[in-house]
Amino acid sequence: MDKQIQLRKQQALEYHSKGRPGKIEVVPTKEAKTQRDLSLAYSPGVAEPCKEIFNNKEDVYKYTAKGNLVAVISNGTAVLGLGDIGPEASKPVMEGKGVLFKIFADIDVFDIEINEKDPEKFVQIVKALEPTFGGINLEDIKAPECFYIEKALREQMNIPVMHDDQHGTAIISGAALLNALEIQKKKIEKTRFVINGAGAAAMACVQIYVALGASYENFTMFDKDGVLHVGRTDLDDVKKKFAVQSADWNLAKALKDADVFVGLSVGNVVTQDMIKSMAKNPVVFAMANPEPEITYDLATSARKDIIMATGRSDYPNMVNNVLGFPFIFRGALDVRASTINEAMKLAAVKALADLAKTPVPDIVNLAYNQKNMSFGPEYIIPKPLDPRLLSTVSPAVAKAAIESGVAHKKIEDWEAYTIELNKRLGLDNQIMRALGAKARRDPKRIVFAEADNLKVLKAASIVYDEGVGYPILLGNEAKIRRIAEENLLDISELPIIDPLHESTEEKRNLYAEVFFWKRQRKGFNYYESKKIMSDRNHYGCMMVEMGDADAMISGLTRDYAETIRPALQIIGTEEGVKRIAGMYLLLTKKGPLFLADTTVNFNPNAEELADIAELVAREVKTFNLTPRIAMLSYSNFGSNNSAEAKMVAEATRILKERDRTLIVDGEMQASLPFNKEIMRDNYPFSELVNEDVNTLIFPNLSAGNVAYGLLKEVGGADAIGPILLGLKKPVHVLQLGSSVRSIINMANIAVIDAQLKCKLNTDDAVQRSPYWTSRKKKQ
């Protein structure tokens, strides 16, 4: 356990320090390459927007980044789980918050850590920053100062100010509460609440519950000093509204016949007996972190009629602030709201609640390894990976700002606004999180054939630590352990197998016999079969074939053909598959793009190209995405009469004939499927009109490989691959020189592939091998 903690510490420190230290940078949004560019960006050209803003301050939104810039501000006095650690030590947290703003809502952030604990001085410092920012996100400021600071800044500033620690939890739990009560058939105005905790988040929660219809007299609240009652002299005006008459209350007494429990306190203070004493169809939100007031398993085993939510990601119904703040600020900024008022918060609550009742997108089902997640006791609020959050919550907040009179800008075309929001972010930032989540739900054994490489060792240790898979390291044990020790990598729990060592002789001989039976009439004699099992790629593939592992990754330091050949010789293709193909997954600003064939088939004919497209379509579906396929050429629907263009058109015809449900068309030029206007105006007959194309099939390997390389190196897309398609069991090939992150991404793909393909246990795999069949016949 100590080694695991040390490893996580090392990985965290390396993550934050490697390359450019920290997690955020400033990137120019305008060209600044020529002397003319520089003269416009700075002197003398910059004087013109300065004069315009001097004449009309509102033009600052037109000529500067203010309208998309939020300050994440803290003094580090209440950092989650760490307490009062000071402004410098809080900076990594604030940078992290900035990353979330950017990846979920495309909002730019400067994090500002203030060395000031006096609330009045803090207010004056932040107030002076108003000309720079479009909004202020207050973070990790201790109570009660946080209440005064937020109230004062909201009153004195003319831009949105929100203390997310309070209102984020309130908004998300408010949405969850509405849906939970609806499922449990309870009316909010008659619901009895027990609240454990009376800090900033808890007080914001109860106030929003009241705004949603709850009654003050139906609350019983506790803090560290016990129940809030009218005899206490330490209660502020807001807390007095929730005070009960008698001091004779404890948590067990209060929970008897209560409808809802909300915990924002400490872990393990609620027992199963307390849960059993609650009213019929109870709702329990145990949101203390990292340990909830009662665990999900204990609560749900105590009551079958319960709806349970926590602050944890490993159980259903996670109350997570990332569902709120990026989208609330996005909507507020887009209408230049002067504040974030109650109407805007309630609009966010209702938008989140309503979104949970709509069909869940494929990518969300993929992330949580579910076929068809739907509204119910285990799904009362949307998941953080739902790409619809931006285009659902932000417009609701923006409309509320306009209707409540705090917006300085109106949106006339809401449909266009929604389209604009969707364009801000592709699915590139969601899909890898989704794949990682799916892999972790059913980890598999992955052979790393080049474990004596530092990058591979780092990746393997992270794969194990993150619960993605169970690495098996191939290579010389002494060398591998030396590399690990020199680089502070904990591989103590990872098995190391050396195919050359005497300890593997028995297994090596078994593998050699099986290999001989497979290849005896294909150029291999028995001696060669034994000799080749000393090669790590052959040995690793045989481990997968025999059920001793579920997937193999290799190729970082090997020639592509050297890695792929053993897989074909030992594992072979899936039933009905005539040839394998190579595919890359590119994570682009337009979302994920699947490209094939990029590595295997040089010049396929029409029938072969259709085979490749079928393999790719099937693989795309395993990502829980609907393949929308463009068959590419240099011709658009017969505009060129060449043999190559006709071949792609014929492949398209064959594909449609085989599967009429596929969304596919071609031949077409590479730019066409991404220009919906040209497609709609000029080729309205195409099946891809108004479709978001995610799969590109190239006419030959040369075109596919060149396109992939350009998109990766010049277009800035992250590449995962090559992913081999058509093999019976997963073997995947790394690019020469792949980064640690690329190897981890490939491990995710390999695990998901194995989840689908490796359903035989070891004994079954051995018994179905040609070697075993032959032995049985001899007996």
Side-chain angles (χ1 to χ4, degrees):
M1 182 60 71
D2 289 342
K3 284 186 176 180
Q4 284 184 331
I5 292 170
Q6 182 63 31
L7 175 61
R8 289 192 191 96
K9 176 182 176 181
Q10 189 65 31
Q11 289 172 352
L13 293 176
E14 184 176 309
Y15 172 84
H16 286 263
S17 63
K18 191 174 181 181
R20 186 191 293 249
K23 301 187 289 294
I24 53 177
E25 66 174 334
V26 177
V27 178
T29 60
K30 302 291 189 296
E31 291 290 337
K33 296 174 182 175
T34 66
Q35 182 58 40
R36 177 180 175 276
D37 292 338
L38 295 176
S39 69
L40 293 172
Y42 198 55
S43 181
V46 73
E48 299 309 319
C50 292
K51 289 187 283 186
E52 294 295 312
I53 295 167
F54 178 77
N55 293 326
N56 178 14
K57 281 187 182 179
E58 285 298 299
D59 279 349
V60 70
Y61 289 96
K62 181 177 180 180
Y63 295 114
T64 77
K66 176 182 171 80
N68 195 52
L69 188 61
V70 166
V72 173
I73 301 183
S74 180
N75 59 8
T77 53
V79 179
L80 182 65
L82 299 172
D84 185 351
I85 59 174
E88 291 86 358
S90 74
K91 187 171 177 64
V93 179
M94 305 313 131
E95 285 187 357
K97 192 68 175 271
V99 170
L100 296 180
F101 267 108
K102 187 64 179 178
I103 65 174
F104 282 104
D106 194 27
I107 293 172
D108 297 318
V109 164
F110 288 154
D111 64 289
I112 299 177
E113 294 73 37
I114 297 176
N115 189 19
E116 183 56 72
K117 291 186 177 181
D118 180 273
E120 184 53 43
K121 290 181 180 177
F122 188 99
V123 166
Q124 293 308 313
I125 292 169
V126 177
K127 180 184 174 184
L129 298 172
E130 183 169 347
T132 301
F133 295 100
I136 304 290
N137 181 100
L138 299 171
E139 193 78 15
D140 292 350
I141 303 167
K142 73 182 180 73
E145 288 91 332
C146 62
F147 301 117
Y148 169 79
I149 289 170
E150 186 196 41
K151 183 174 183 293
L153 288 173
R154 287 181 64 186
E155 290 171 352
Q156 297 177 42
M157 298 182 80
N158 200 38
I159 58 174
V161 176
M162 188 171 88
H163 183 214
D164 185 51
D165 299 335
Q166 294 181 60
H167 305 295
T169 303
I171 288 164
I172 313 312
S173 70
L177 178 68
L178 285 181
N179 284 342
L181 292 178
E182 180 181 324
I183 293 167
Q184 301 291 55
K185 296 181 169 54
K186 293 176 184 280
K187 295 185 180 299
I188 192 168
E189 60 272 17
K190 294 182 180 179
T191 296
R192 276 197 57 219
F193 292 85
V194 175
I195 314 293
N196 202 49
M203 295 313 300
C205 284
V206 293
Q207 289 179 87
I208 214 162
Y209 300 164
V210 168
L212 292 169
S215 301
Y216 285 110
E217 61 269 21
N218 286 337
F219 284 85
T220 306
M221 292 190 70
F222 296 85
D223 64 10
K224 60 182 175 56
D225 297 318
V227 70
L228 273 57
H229 63 88
V230 293
R232 285 178 56 167
T233 58
D234 60 336
L235 304 184
D236 60 29
D237 290 341
V238 175
K239 289 182 180 178
K240 285 177 182 177
K241 294 178 182 179
F242 295 93
V244 296
Q245 290 298 314
S246 172
D248 185 26
W249 284 92
N250 58 35
L251 199 54
K253 179 181 176 182
L255 277 170
K256 184 172 172 52
D257 296 325
D259 298 296
V260 174
F261 170 78
V262 175
L264 288 154
S265 53
V266 294
N268 304 311
V269 293
V270 174
T271 67
Q272 284 188 308
D273 286 340
M274 292 181 191
I275 297 295
K276 290 174 183 176
S277 76
M278 292 178 72
K280 183 181 179 183
N281 298 330
V283 175
V284 174
F285 292 175
M287 297 184 286
N289 260 322
E291 291 296 324
E293 286 78 2
I294 182 170
T295 66
Y296 185 90
D297 292 335
L298 282 176
T300 53
S301 63
R303 295 284 294 261
K304 299 304 179 190
D305 60 345
I306 195 173
I307 290 182
M308 177 76 172
T310 68
R312 293 177 54 140
S313 61
D314 49 352
Y315 293 108
N317 302 325
M318 180 191 183
V319 177
N320 190 327
N321 284 19
V322 79
L323 288 169
F325 68 83
F327 318 113
I328 293 166
F329 271 96
R330 177 78 274 155
L333 292 174
D334 289 341
V335 294
R336 299 220 308 267
S338 59
T339 187
I340 294 175
N341 59 23
E342 293 308 304
M344 295 160 73
K345 294 175 198 170
L346 290 174
V349 169
K350 288 170 181 173
L352 284 166
D354 289 343
L355 183 59
K357 299 175 187 176
T358 61
V360 177
D362 290 342
I363 194 169
V364 182
N365 284 315
L366 165 67
Y368 298 93
N369 202 31
Q370 307 227 359
K371 285 292 182 187
N372 191 19
M373 209 180 305
S374 61
F375 181 60
E378 294 191 345
Y379 180 68
I380 58 174
I381 43 175
K383 299 291 187 181
L385 297 183
D386 195 324
R388 302 170 301 167
L389 285 162
L390 183 62
S391 59
T392 300
V393 179
S394 299
V397 171
K399 283 179 184 176
I402 293 170
E403 290 168 3
S404 61
V406 297
H408 290 102
K409 174 185 172 185
K410 290 191 175 179
I411 294 174
E412 304 293 343
D413 188 339
W414 290 97
E415 185 178 347
Y417 177 54
T418 300
I419 292 170
E420 178 191 329
L421 289 172
N422 285 327
K423 283 182 178 178
R424 282 188 176 273
L425 300 174
L427 293 178
D428 58 311
N429 63 318
Q430 283 105 339
I431 194 164
M432 282 319 300
R433 291 198 295 275
L435 293 176
K438 182 169 184 178
R440 283 191 293 273
R441 276 166 172 75
D442 185 16
K444 297 295 181 184
R445 300 163 298 169
I446 311 169
V447 176
F448 288 89
E450 299 157 300
D452 53 2
N453 180 280
L454 177 57
K455 287 182 182 178
V456 172
L457 268 187
K458 280 187 176 182
S461 68
I462 293 169
V463 163
Y464 180 71
D465 194 48
E466 291 185 350
V468 168
Y470 306 112
I472 300 169
L473 309 178
L474 294 192
N476 180 275
E477 182 171 357
K479 183 178 180 183
I480 291 170
R481 293 202 183 281
R482 177 178 54 77
I483 294 170
E485 189 175 339
E486 288 173 354
N487 292 277
L488 300 177
L489 297 175
D490 181 7
I491 59 168
S492 58
E493 297 183 16
L494 306 186
I496 302 174
I497 297 173
D498 184 356
L500 294 173
H501 195 268
E502 60 183 22
S503 62
T504 61
E505 184 178 3
E506 185 178 346
K507 185 70 77 171
R508 195 165 58 239
N509 289 338
L510 171 63
Y511 289 172
E513 291 196 51
V514 175
F515 183 79
F516 177 59
W517 281 102
K518 284 175 174 285
R519 307 300 300 178
Q520 60 186 334
R521 294 184 181 275
K522 297 177 182 177
F524 279 86
N525 61 35
Y526 185 64
Y527 171 78
E528 290 168 332
S529 297
K530 288 190 72 171
K531 184 179 177 182
I532 209 164
M533 280 305 119
S534 299
D535 172 67
R536 280 182 273 171
N537 277 338
H538 282 83
Y539 191 96
C541 283
M542 192 58 75
M543 288 184 73
V544 175
E545 172 65 6
M546 299 291 283
D548 294 330
D550 302 309
M552 186 182 89
I553 293 176
S554 185
L556 185 71
T557 60
R558 299 284 192 105
D559 180 79
Y560 187 80
E562 281 184 52
T563 309
I564 202 172
R565 192 179 299 114
L568 286 170
Q569 291 173 341
I570 293 168
I571 292 171
T573 59
E574 294 180 76
E575 192 172 337
V577 171
K578 299 170 187 173
R579 65 189 50 78
I580 66 169
M583 177 187 82
Y584 273 94
L585 166 56
L586 293 185
L587 305 177
T588 76
K589 287 292 184 184
K590 290 183 179 291
L593 277 181
F594 299 86
L595 280 62
D597 187 332
T598 49
T599 52
V600 178
N601 296 284
F602 285 91
N603 290 292
N605 59 34
E607 189 84 26
E608 291 167 342
L609 196 62
D611 291 342
I612 292 166
E614 273 193 308
L615 281 175
V616 175
R618 191 169 64 183
E619 185 73 9
V620 172
K621 287 175 183 176
T622 69
F623 288 79
N624 275 21
L625 299 173
T626 300
R628 296 175 176 87
I629 307 168
M631 306 289 287
L632 300 182
S633 179
Y634 47 76
S635 168
N636 285 325
F637 304 109
S639 64
N640 191 297
N641 208 29
S642 68
E644 290 104 321
K646 283 183 175 180
M647 184 272 290
V648 177
E650 174 63 11
T652 306
R653 186 195 66 75
I654 294 169
L655 260 180
K656 289 181 179 179
E657 194 175 84
R658 291 180 185 175
D659 185 354
R660 298 198 178 278
T661 66
L662 275 182
I663 303 171
V664 57
D665 216 338
E667 84 287 11
M668 65 180 69
Q669 294 174 354
S671 61
L672 186 59
F674 302 107
N675 195 319
K676 291 184 180 180
E677 187 177 347
I678 292 177
M679 177 79 85
R680 187 170 52 247
D681 291 348
N682 294 277
Y683 307 102
F685 54 81
S686 174
E687 288 188 28
L688 297 180
V689 169
N690 294 324
E691 294 285 355
D692 293 317
V693 169
N694 57 17
T695 306
L696 305 179
I697 305 297
F698 292 89
N700 52 51
L701 186 144
S702 178
N705 200 270
V706 168
Y708 136 73
L710 286 172
L711 282 168
K712 179 177 176 289
E713 297 300 330
V714 181
D718 288 336
I720 302 171
I723 300 166
L724 287 181
L725 309 177
L727 287 173
K728 256 191 265 186
K729 295 181 181 180
V731 173
H732 291 298
V733 183
L734 298 168
Q735 286 180 281
L736 286 171
S738 292
S739 67
V740 172
R741 178 56 52 188
S742 296
I743 301 169
I744 295 168
N745 287 341
M746 185 63 88
N748 279 297
I749 298 291
V751 168
I752 292 167
D753 206 2
Q755 288 169 354
L756 294 167
K757 292 177 179 176
C758 296
K759 295 180 180 175
L760 298 176
N761 63 34
T762 304
D763 292 338
D764 288 337
V766 172
Q767 290 184 29
R768 288 178 57 151
S769 71
Y771 166 73
W772 185 266
T773 305
S774 172
R775 280 289 178 91
K776 286 182 75 174
K777 284 180 180 178
K778 287 180 181 178
Q779 292 171 355

